[in-house]
Amino acid sequence: RPLLFAFVALVSAESVGGVVEDVASPRGVEASLNEGAKWNWVPETEHPCNIEQIPLTLTALKKRFPPHGLVPPLHPSPFILLGGSNQSSRNQDFRRKTSLDMILSQFPENFRVTLSSSNAYSEHHREISLQQYLNETITAGVTSPEHNSSSNWYLFGHTHSMEWQALTKQYELPPCQTCRLDLCALSFGIGNRGSGVQWHVHGPGFSEALHGRKHWALYPPNHRPQGFHKDQSSRQWMEWIYPNAKVKPSECTLNPGDLIYFPDGWWHATINLDPYTSFISTFTTEHNLDQLALDDEF
């Protein structure tokens, strides 16, 4: 059976790079907040992109991934599929149903969801109604760097109930050789500006921005992020570690309709950039495929 969701396959920081370091000291954070000082890394601004970008068209896909335009298993590096210009055709109805105005109508009244803390290991959980989560998320508007990830609640990962599956099965899967229902698992998420999941590691897959923009940062498996701490938030890392990082990460912002491929075992962290950001991730099975005869299907 394919991986249910990312966090069940997280590996500890110790297994990838030694003892966990302390969080970079957020000196003067409270004072800065009270003084109205600006942050170094601001979600609303434009951010660099140094990851390969491929138009999400059949012609471009066939050129990059011949002969059929389907991403092969265990592709070694991340890339972006630029699908924003194709929004009129691809997953149009799914995006409509997952908009802020429509998402509640996809579930029974008082439908409850399980939230996870947004630290590296998703250690804590909380169950509330989807309506309450949306109220709290939209009311807050932004998740600032003053809070550690262990205290930030996030809807992602625990979206595999019958009700969630009834929604996610309507999603058009990414263009890859193992992107079929028996070889992948889907996970849906919602966050506000500044929210996201801090550095973690798991198997390969895709993630698509549905509403709002989402920034991704990645390092290869042998490069443990500088200053890593499991309870540090993505915004804290971008605020205090990123400016002086010896090696900058691979990074890019997804616009609605764009997808990213995250390779097997790559470190990655995410930050949502808009007040209502919804997205869906496709976790793929890409190991031990010798007996599946994938090419027979194409």
Side-chain angles (χ1 to χ4, degrees):
R1 177 177 174 79
L3 187 68
L4 283 180
F5 52 90
F7 299 142
V8 300
L10 293 174
V11 298
S12 69
E14 289 87 345
S15 69
V16 190
V19 179
V20 175
E21 299 176 26
D22 292 333
V23 179
S25 176
R27 292 172 293 180
V29 172
E30 293 184 1
S32 296
L33 285 171
N34 294 333
E35 295 167 4
K38 293 183 179 180
W39 299 109
N40 293 319
W41 197 92
V42 181
E44 296 92 322
T45 61
E46 294 293 322
H47 303 287
C49 180
N50 55 11
I51 298 176
E52 178 186 9
Q53 300 178 61
I54 307 167
L56 187 52
T57 65
L58 184 57
T59 299
L61 288 170
K62 284 185 174 182
K63 181 178 180 180
R64 182 61 179 84
F65 305 107
H68 304 293
L70 297 171
V71 181
L74 298 176
H75 188 74
S77 59
F79 58 84
I80 307 295
L81 295 178
L82 299 172
S85 60
N86 297 328
Q87 289 193 51
S88 60
S89 58
R90 187 178 182 278
N91 279 316
Q92 179 181 15
D93 191 54
F94 189 77
R95 284 194 302 275
R96 180 183 64 83
K97 290 180 178 179
T98 56
S99 66
L100 179 58
D101 292 337
M102 293 291 293
I103 187 67
L104 284 173
S105 65
Q106 309 307 311
F107 301 98
E109 188 175 359
N110 298 319
F111 179 67
R112 298 184 70 79
V113 296
T114 300
L115 310 180
S116 301
S117 56
S118 57
N119 62 349
Y121 310 136
S122 188
E123 294 170 310
H124 310 293
H125 301 95
R126 174 191 179 199
E127 184 176 305
I128 62 175
S129 70
L130 178 57
Q131 176 72 76
Q132 182 180 347
Y133 176 69
L134 291 174
N135 290 344
E136 292 179 359
T137 300
I138 302 306
T139 298
V142 63
T143 299
S144 77
E146 64 182 320
H147 299 297
N148 286 344
S149 60
S150 58
S151 62
N152 293 334
W153 295 108
Y154 196 44
L155 175 58
F156 181 67
H158 294 272
T159 55
H160 303 283
S161 66
M162 292 176 54
E163 293 88 350
W164 279 111
Q165 290 182 32
L167 174 64
T168 58
K169 71 179 183 181
Q170 302 174 56
Y171 172 70
E172 180 181 338
L173 297 175
C176 83
Q177 292 183 16
T178 61
C179 289
R180 63 191 208 194
L181 291 178
D182 62 327
L183 291 177
C184 63
L186 299 174
S187 191
F188 186 85
I190 297 173
N192 65 6
R193 176 176 288 154
S195 64
V197 178
Q198 101 103 320
W199 293 107
H200 61 287
V201 179
H202 52 66
F206 295 81
S207 188
E208 178 170 351
L210 299 169
H211 299 277
R213 298 164 301 134
K214 189 178 189 73
H215 194 72
W216 281 71
L218 307 94
Y219 282 113
N222 61 353
H223 189 111
R224 182 169 173 264
Q226 181 179 330
F228 172 86
H229 187 286
K230 70 181 182 68
D231 290 328
Q232 184 182 55
S233 71
S234 297
R235 280 210 67 185
Q236 287 175 338
W237 193 91
M238 296 302 288
E239 184 69 21
W240 293 298
I241 304 298
Y242 176 86
N244 298 310
K246 295 178 181 178
V247 178
K248 289 290 194 289
S250 299
E251 60 181 312
C252 201
T253 296
L254 299 184
N255 292 301
D258 293 344
L259 299 89
I260 186 171
Y261 175 78
F262 45 88
D264 188 32
W266 277 56
W267 289 93
H268 55 282
T270 62
I271 304 180
N272 301 310
L273 303 184
D274 290 308
Y276 177 77
T277 304
S278 64
F279 56 95
I280 187 167
S281 294
T282 303
F283 298 102
T284 52
T285 300
E286 301 187 15
H287 292 273
N288 303 318
L289 299 175
D290 295 343
Q291 300 178 357
L292 293 178
L294 296 176
D295 288 341
D296 293 345
E297 296 193 7
F298 311 120

